[in-house]
Amino acid sequence: MSRPQMFLVAGVNGSGKSTFTRTVLDRFTGLNVIDPDAIARTLTGSFATIDSASLSAGKQALLAVQQCIERDQSFIVESTLSGMVYLRYLQQAKDAGFRTVLIYVALSSADLSATRVQARVAEGGTTFPTRIFNDAT
């Protein structure tokens, strides 16, 4: 049996984590994908109400990560690394024998990130990151 793998794709909102995740999936088929935004969409039925389900979706994502580690199942998860929880899961997975990979997706500027998030919102995506950018200015 091959060693299970945990891929953590991290970066700021709008950096291209989801795009990069699709690239990883092309090479490493069979990974469980844990995407809090996708979970929120399934809870609400649309991007328009994703903010209302973010907390619940985040909890479900963390539970899914824990279950993959306990079951020795390879997976990929995205995070902004706004807290330490996913870094602790990396260590837990490593201690459980997983091959752990942290991939940080970066952009050349915060303005580019804000522009990408605003474009996503214009296409019906989540509004949460836009509020952060607007509050910071």
Side-chain angles (χ1 to χ4, degrees), residues 79-93:
S79 173
T80 60
L81 292 182
S82 59
M84 296 294 293
V85 68
Y86 281 106
L87 295 176
R88 285 193 291 269
Y89 278 129
L90 271 176
Q91 186 62 54
Q92 183 181 354

Side-chain angles (χ1 to χ4, degrees), residues 13 37 47-48 50-52 54 80 82 117 120-121 125-135:
N13 292 308
D37 287 343
F47 276 114
I50 199 170
D51 292 345
S52 65
S54 294
T80 60
S82 59
V117 169
R120 181 174 63 204
V121 170
T126 179
T127 60
F128 176 71
T130 303
R131 284 201 312 264
I132 292 172
F133 289 119
N134 288 342
D135 290 346

